[in-house]
């Protein structure tokens, strides 16, 4: 990792870099149904000296028929570190269990690439007493969780990793399922910044990929049931998009092109940063686009095997004002945002970490400490509370136990105010929970919840809250008048019971694409495990609304009239004999192709990138029998964070996500049958992921792409 986070226990020397924030080179930073319109929010009144202001009512939409996936047993995780002398305190197991933690990651960030499990050493780093693998597994078992283990890539060997698998799962019977190959190996100096130990003479992504295959072969020879994870860069974060010296592509494309046929999950990390925790809370909005781009990359190289490859966010923290109240909101919001966007595991950095500097946030002393729990350390004469005292992010994580548990179904939700975020879960017991996070530091908001695909009873909802004045996640009285009060800087979870019995048929199996072209797609699924379905319906997600695309009495359907080069997310629901709809299947996202037969051809190529910017070249060809004299090209950015900064050989303008290009006069003539081409380029910027546009229109005609 870029820098160490100091454990302030006087008995410990400062650890080596261990996982946490980011320090990046300065050079890299330089370079169908319509959604219901949101009600306009009335500006909040000025806050009184001792009383928060009141804001306009927030309209919350929840649709239980739009499924976002099932919460995995590994969903809620935390990091642990062998330099932490308190990692195996008995209180830790109790606190993690109470917070619903299902995964504990070991041996701790960058320490994973210097740690040798056989003799429990980390040359160049500090190893605290009582932190051996067996002692760690004692805490894992006491918590009721499972381990996520970093196999030493940087200074280890495939044989050492295979021996660890044998000891863990054959000798000791721990059943350790998830194994990452190294930590942040792209930080080994290959791109100019190095914090990760890597003794391989060749530090390129192709060498990492070659060794991932060797590690996987050796480790699965011992236990073929384990899952192997490969390290990727997070789209839009350094060094994403950079092609290193001697490489033909960036890290992700090089690694995935080699290992997509072997690995079981991809590993990414997220530290959005910003000047304050509030800023980081807002920057979490980049995460869905980043995770979608990871999935696109996996789809590209894994093909039909893509659905077998998961995504794990094995380190996350805001990277600023870490034990503050807004970072507690960030924790709850980020865990659910990641899970709703296809991640099966999220691990907070860190259980304990230690104070770095003293500040004040929202009336609390902030130690800039990445830990969920206090280490009991001091900065000067200012000391933290007693060891294992929870900080605000711990309660952000614990709040999720009131929203959902493994096996529950996440469903679509949205709000009319960007100061309030929402997450919804249809629980296995039939109830439905909605988490509302008020990110406004000054104003109390009131929320009115509208349910689709679910009819709640008239019983008073069960409400839990973590806000100012609360010392724990606390059950509170529901507000009256059909709305729920959301205090400033608070997490409020509302749970309602169903009015009527559920469908007698379960959710269909996860749909898969069996064929796709430019305008149609055929999807298939397995029948529900329980009950008898009389009909299936395929719905496309449109925000919190859904559009019926097809119905079928069999377990497949063909979807027609889809735009070329477009992405679609669908769920399949079953109807029983009484006409009741089941819960939604797991979601499926797929893209139609560009037209195979078109009178024009466009090639879009990213020549170079530096994380938050890039240079692209676009080539346009006319395949028609007649010449074109004067042309325009239109395309849409897949991400709202993409834009054009400057261009050459064409006039390139943008409005929102739309880009309009006109010839420069000298390249206006396009000869027939591909006899000539027009090429232009531009410098682009990307705040977050930088996916490739999929649909290009030349003089109104949708083109083929290459």
């Amino acid at each position: 990792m870029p820098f160490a986070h100091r454990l302030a226990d006087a008995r410990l020397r400062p650890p080596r870099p261990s996982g946490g924030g980011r320090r990046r080179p300065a050079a890299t930073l330089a370079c169908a149904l319509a959604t219901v319109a949101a009600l306009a929010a009335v500006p909040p009144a000025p806050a009184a000296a001792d009383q928060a202001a009141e804001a306009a009512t927030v309209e919350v939409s929840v649709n239980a028929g739009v499924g976002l996936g099932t919460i995995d047993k590994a969903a809620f995780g935390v990091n642990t570190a062998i330099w932490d002398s308190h990692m195996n305190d008995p209180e830790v197991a109790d606190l993690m269990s109470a917070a619903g933690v299902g995964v504990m990651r070991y041996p701790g960030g960058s320490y994973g690439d210097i740690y040798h499990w056989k003799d429990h050493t980390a040359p160049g780093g500090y190893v605290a007493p009582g932190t051996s693998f067996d002692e760690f597994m004692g805490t894992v078992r006491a918590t009721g969780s499972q381990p996520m283990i970093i196999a030493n890539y940087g200074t280890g060997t495939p044989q050492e990793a295979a021996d660890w698998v044998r000891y863990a799962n054959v000798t000791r019977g721990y059943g350790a399922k998830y194994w990452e190959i190294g930590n942040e190996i792209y930080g080994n100096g290959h791109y100019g910044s190095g914090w990760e130990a890597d003794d391989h003479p060749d530090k390129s992504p192709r060498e990492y990929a070659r060794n991932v295959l060797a590690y996987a072969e050796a480790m699965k020879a011992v236990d073929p049931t384990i899952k192997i994870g490969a390290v990727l860069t997070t789209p839009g974060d350094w060094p994403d998009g950079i092609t290193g010296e001697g490489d033909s592509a960036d890290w992700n494309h090089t690694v995935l092109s080699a290992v997509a046929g072997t690995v079981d999950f991809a590993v990414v990390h997220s530290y959005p940063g910003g000047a304050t925790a509030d800023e980081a809370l807002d920057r979490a909005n980049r995460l869905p686009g980043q995770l979608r781009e990871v999935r696109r990359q996996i789809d590209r190289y894994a093909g039909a095997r893509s659905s077998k490859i998961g995504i794990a966010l094995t380190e996350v923290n805001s990277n600023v004002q870490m034990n503050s109240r807004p970072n507690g909101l960030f924790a709850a919001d980020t865990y659910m945002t990641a899970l709703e966007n296809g991640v099966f595991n999220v691990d907070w950095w860190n259980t304990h970490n230690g104070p770095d500097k003293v500040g004040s946030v929202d009336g609390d002393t902030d130690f800039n400490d990445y830990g969920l729990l206090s280490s009991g350390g001091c900065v000067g004469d200012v000391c933290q509370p007693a060891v294992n005292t929870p900080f605000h992010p711990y309660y952000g994580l614990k709040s999720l136990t009131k929203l959902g548990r493994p096996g529950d179904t996440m469903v679509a939700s949205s709000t009319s105010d960007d100061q309030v975020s929402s997450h919804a879960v249809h629980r296995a017991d039939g109830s439905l929970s909605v988490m509302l996070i008020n990110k406004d530091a000054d104003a109390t908001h009131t929320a009115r919840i509208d349910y689709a695909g679910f009819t709640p009873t008239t019983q008073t909802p069960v409400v839990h809250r973590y806000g100012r004045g609360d010392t724990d996640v606390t059950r509170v009285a529901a507000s009256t008048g059909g709305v729920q009060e959301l205090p400033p800087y608070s997490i409020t979870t509302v749970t309602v019971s169903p009015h009527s019995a559920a469908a007698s048929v379960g959710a269909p199996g996860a749909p898969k694409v069996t064929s796709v072209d430019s305008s149609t797609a055929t999807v298939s699924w397995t029948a529900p495990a329980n009950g008898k379905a009389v009909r299936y319906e395929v719905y496309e997600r449109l925000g919190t609304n859904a559009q019926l695309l097809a119905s079928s009495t069999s377990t497949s359907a063909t979807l027609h009239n889809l735009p070329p080069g477009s992405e679609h997310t669908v769920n399949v629901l079953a109807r029983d004999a009484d006409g009741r709809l089941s819960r939604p299947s797991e979601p499926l996202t797929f893209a139609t192709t560009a037209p195979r037969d078109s009178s024009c051809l466009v090639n879009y190529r990213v020549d170079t990138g530096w994380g938050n910017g890039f240079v692209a070249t676009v080539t346009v060809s006319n395949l028609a029998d007649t010449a074109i004299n004067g042309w325009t090209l239109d395309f849409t950015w897949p991400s709202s964070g993409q834009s054009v900064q400057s261009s050459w050989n064409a006039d390139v303008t943008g409005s929102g996500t739309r880009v309009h290009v006109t010839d420069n006069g000298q390249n206006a003539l396009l000869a027939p049958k591909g006899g000539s081409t027009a090429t232009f380029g531009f410098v682009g910027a990307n705040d977050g992921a930088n996916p490739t546009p999929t649909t290009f229109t030349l003089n109104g005609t949708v083109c083929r792409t290459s």
Side-chain angles (χ1 to χ4, degrees):
M1 302 301 302
F3 56 92
H5 305 302
R6 185 183 304 270
L7 277 178
D9 188 328
R11 296 168 294 170
L12 306 186
R13 77 183 207 189
R16 279 172 52 99
S18 55
R22 293 292 180 275
R23 180 174 294 160
R24 298 305 189 209
T28 65
L29 298 178
C31 301
L33 291 177
T35 304
V36 178
L39 298 181
V42 178
D50 299 313
Q51 186 172 1
E54 292 292 330
T57 299
V58 178
E59 302 295 335
V60 181
S61 299
V62 177
N63 193 334
V66 178
L68 307 182
T70 303
I71 299 176
D72 195 275
K73 291 180 180 179
F76 307 116
V78 299
N79 277 269
T80 61
I82 56 174
W83 40 260
D84 172 15
S85 62
H86 299 292
M87 66 175 283
N88 293 313
D89 288 354
E91 298 92 336
V92 170
D94 293 339
L95 287 164
M96 295 301 112
S97 179
V101 168
V103 162
M104 303 185 81
R105 184 173 182 248
Y106 180 90
S110 295
Y111 263 53
D113 285 306
I114 61 172
Y115 178 65
H116 300 286
W117 72 272
K118 288 184 180 179
D119 57 7
H120 189 51
T121 62
Y126 174 77
V127 178
T131 61
S132 71
F133 177 59
D134 286 319
E135 288 166 308
F136 161 74
M137 285 304 303
T139 299
V140 169
R141 288 186 159 181
T143 303
S145 62
Q146 59 184 313
M148 172 77 72
I149 300 173
I150 308 168
N152 185 342
Y153 174 86
T155 61
T157 65
Q159 186 60 54
E160 181 182 24
D163 290 343
W164 197 355
V165 173
R166 180 175 291 104
Y167 178 78
N169 292 353
V170 178
T171 303
R172 301 290 293 176
Y174 288 142
K177 182 178 181 180
Y178 297 109
W179 299 77
E180 301 175 52
I181 310 303
N183 182 51
E184 294 175 349
I185 296 301
Y186 48 78
N188 60 8
H190 184 67
Y191 297 104
S193 181
W195 62 86
E196 201 75 15
D198 185 359
D199 286 350
H200 297 86
D202 182 353
K203 294 177 171 52
S204 68
R206 63 181 176 275
E207 177 69 2
Y208 173 71
R210 186 186 71 79
N211 278 286
V212 166
L213 297 177
Y215 272 71
E217 181 179 13
M219 295 164 74
K220 288 197 172 186
V222 176
D223 182 354
T225 69
I226 65 171
K227 304 294 184 182
I228 298 292
V231 172
L232 298 184
T233 63
T234 302
D237 290 350
W238 188 93
D240 175 59
I242 298 175
T243 300
E245 184 178 354
D247 298 337
S248 59
D250 66 3
W251 181 276
N252 284 8
H253 290 86
T254 302
V255 171
L256 283 172
S257 65
V259 308
T262 299
V263 298
D264 303 290
F265 62 102
V267 177
V268 291
H269 293 170
S270 179
Y271 295 88
T276 65
D278 282 305
E279 232 177 81
L281 188 55
D282 291 336
R283 295 191 75 191
N285 292 331
R286 302 163 71 230
L287 194 56
Q290 292 175 314
L291 295 173
R292 179 62 199 134
E293 181 61 11
V294 173
R295 177 52 61 188
R296 288 190 189 101
Q297 293 172 357
I298 294 172
D299 288 345
R300 174 178 177 179
Y301 293 106
R305 191 176 180 271
S306 180
S307 62
K308 298 180 180 179
I309 301 177
I311 302 173
L313 185 60
T314 62
E315 287 186 24
V316 65
N317 200 308
S318 71
N319 198 32
V320 58
Q321 298 176 334
M322 275 79 71
N323 54 270
S324 67
R325 184 178 298 278
N327 206 32
L329 308 186
F330 172 89
D333 207 21
T334 300
Y335 269 83
M336 290 311 301
T337 298
L339 296 171
E340 290 163 351
N341 285 276
V343 167
F344 74 89
N345 161 253
V346 184
D347 302 322
W348 188 259
W349 184 270
N350 197 8
T351 301
H352 302 95
N353 216 87
D356 179 67
K357 60 183 179 182
V358 176
S360 179
V361 182
D362 194 44
D364 295 328
T365 301
D366 180 73
F367 293 91
N368 209 50
D369 187 333
Y370 287 80
L372 289 170
L373 309 177
S374 171
S375 299
C378 303
V379 176
D381 58 358
V382 180
C383 293
Q384 293 183 322
V387 173
N388 293 320
T389 299
F391 290 129
H392 291 297
Y394 171 82
Y395 292 112
L397 175 56
K398 187 177 181 181
S399 293
L400 300 178
T401 64
K402 305 305 179 184
L403 176 64
R405 292 281 190 170
D408 294 342
T409 302
M410 297 172 287
V411 298
S413 67
S414 65
T415 78
S416 62
D417 190 332
D418 61 8
Q419 286 280 64
V420 177
S421 61
S422 65
H423 305 281
V425 172
H426 197 174
R427 291 171 166 260
D429 65 6
S431 62
L432 194 149
S433 296
V434 184
M435 174 174 282
L436 300 169
I437 302 173
N438 182 5
K439 297 177 281 187
D440 193 326
D442 302 314
T444 294
H445 293 251
T446 55
R448 180 183 295 110
I449 305 174
D450 177 70
Y451 300 91
F454 182 92
T455 304
T457 65
T458 57
Q459 295 175 346
T460 302
V462 174
V463 180
H464 290 87
R465 185 190 67 204
Y466 183 68
R468 289 175 181 148
D470 295 327
T471 58
D472 203 339
V473 180
T474 305
R475 182 166 178 176
V476 297
S479 301
T480 59
V483 296
Q484 179 60 47
E485 185 178 273
L486 312 176
Y489 269 174
S490 66
I491 303 170
T492 303
T493 306
V494 179
T495 301
V496 293
S497 300
H499 183 269
S500 57
S504 61
V505 60
K512 298 180 180 180
V513 173
T514 56
S515 66
V516 63
D517 59 24
S518 61
S519 61
T520 63
T522 299
V523 296
S524 63
W525 55 89
T526 56
N530 61 299
K532 180 176 176 57
V534 297
R535 188 167 79 254
Y536 299 97
E537 297 175 4
V538 182
Y539 289 88
E540 179 176 12
R541 177 185 176 187
L542 301 172
T544 53
N545 293 317
Q547 173 178 252
L548 179 64
L549 294 184
S551 62
S552 174
T553 55
S554 67
T555 54
S556 68
T558 299
L559 316 178
H560 297 279
N561 301 318
L562 305 175
S566 58
E567 279 193 347
H568 304 268
T569 299
V570 299
N571 296 105
V572 181
L573 289 82
R575 282 199 186 271
D576 64 15
D578 295 321
R580 295 173 299 192
L581 279 172
S582 71
R583 291 172 182 261
S585 70
E586 296 289 306
L588 166 69
T589 299
F590 66 91
T592 55
T593 65
R596 290 185 173 88
D597 296 317
S598 177
S599 59
C600 55
L601 174 67
V602 173
N603 175 271
Y604 178 98
R605 183 183 73 245
V606 174
D607 301 310
T608 187
W610 49 91
N612 59 355
F614 61 101
V615 176
T617 299
V618 182
T619 302
V620 182
S621 302
N622 170 29
L623 306 181
D625 294 332
T626 57
I628 293 176
N629 191 0
W631 54 267
T632 62
L633 184 74
D634 293 278
F635 64 90
T636 300
W637 293 119
S639 170
S640 61
Q642 295 170 287
S643 61
V644 174
Q645 302 298 297
S646 61
S647 62
W648 52 93
N649 295 339
D651 181 18
V652 184
T653 59
S655 177
T657 59
R658 295 182 177 275
V659 180
H660 182 71
V661 186
T662 58
D663 65 76
N664 68 353
Q666 296 179 342
N667 59 4
L669 183 63
L670 294 173
K673 298 182 179 180
S676 66
T677 61
T679 299
F680 66 92
F682 60 87
V683 175
N686 56 292
D687 181 15
N690 185 31
T692 298
T694 56
T695 305
F696 298 86
T697 302
L698 182 70
N699 289 357
T701 298
V702 179
C703 300
R704 290 165 48 191
T705 57
S706 65

